[in-house]
Amino acid sequence: MTRIDFHSNVADRLTYTCRLVRKARAAQCRIVLLSRDAEQSAALDEALWTFSATDFVPHVAAPHPHADATPVILIADDSTDVPHHHVLINLSGRTPAHFARFERMFEIISADEEDKIAGRDRYRYYKDRGYPLTHFVAQAV
């Protein structure tokens, strides 16, 4: 069963996600990043290249010819086929259609009131279905 971690009150979702990806990659995780749309996916692609001068996070957008060999895949449509199902990081603001295929999922919730409400709805959805949940509140900096 998919383990789901909520990270809420996140001030800068892109930077926070990049740091989370870096940490997950250090643990040898293979990651799928689900964005709300192509624009957010492009911003995340750029952020992964620029968030750190010393870290390289190999990533491609699906479907890319090298997706099978790349540990981080960016998608904006959760019906996109992906080559691995280890970790899903959800930035889409919606419940991913195939989240249960993943071993673990992270929900990144900003401090925006609309995002918090949608995050609470998803939390209840997962809880009602018996998924193991944890919740972390990001500290404001």
Side-chain angles (χ1 to χ4, degrees):
M1 181 171 268
T2 305
R3 182 175 135 200
I4 303 170
D5 297 308
F6 275 78
H7 291 238
S8 64
N9 199 42
V10 175
D12 180 345
R13 293 173 83 199
L14 293 181
T15 301
Y16 191 91
T17 299
C18 289
R19 290 180 181 142
L20 184 60
V21 167
R22 176 177 56 193
K23 184 176 181 181
R25 281 300 307 138
Q28 301 303 308
C29 294
R30 296 175 62 85
I31 304 148
V32 174
L33 298 168
L34 174 60
S35 300
R36 74 175 168 271
D37 55 28
E39 183 180 326
Q40 186 184 47
S41 192
L44 189 53
D45 176 40
E46 178 69 23
L48 285 168
W49 282 109
T50 61
F51 86 100
S52 171
T54 59
D55 295 302
F56 172 67
V57 178
H59 65 281
V60 296
H64 187 280
H66 299 293
D68 288 349
T70 306
V72 180
I73 308 295
L74 284 72
I75 61 172
D77 178 359
D78 58 356
S79 66
T80 303
D81 286 330
V82 293
H84 47 79
H85 297 95
H86 192 197
V87 173
L88 173 64
I89 298 177
N90 185 21
L91 296 164
S92 72
R94 61 188 181 274
T95 303
H98 304 292
F99 73 90
R101 293 179 182 170
F102 291 83
E103 293 175 32
R104 190 168 184 187
M105 179 170 67
F106 292 89
E107 287 274 359
I108 310 301
I109 312 298
S110 73
D112 174 74
E113 195 58 36
E114 229 177 86
D115 196 30
K116 285 196 257 185
I117 291 168
R120 287 184 197 117
D121 289 343
R122 290 193 307 280
Y123 189 94
R124 278 190 293 277
Y125 175 88
Y126 304 133
K127 183 177 180 182
D128 290 346
R129 284 153 183 79
Y131 286 92
L133 303 171
T134 56
H135 181 220
F136 303 94
V137 179
Q139 301 301 313
V141 288

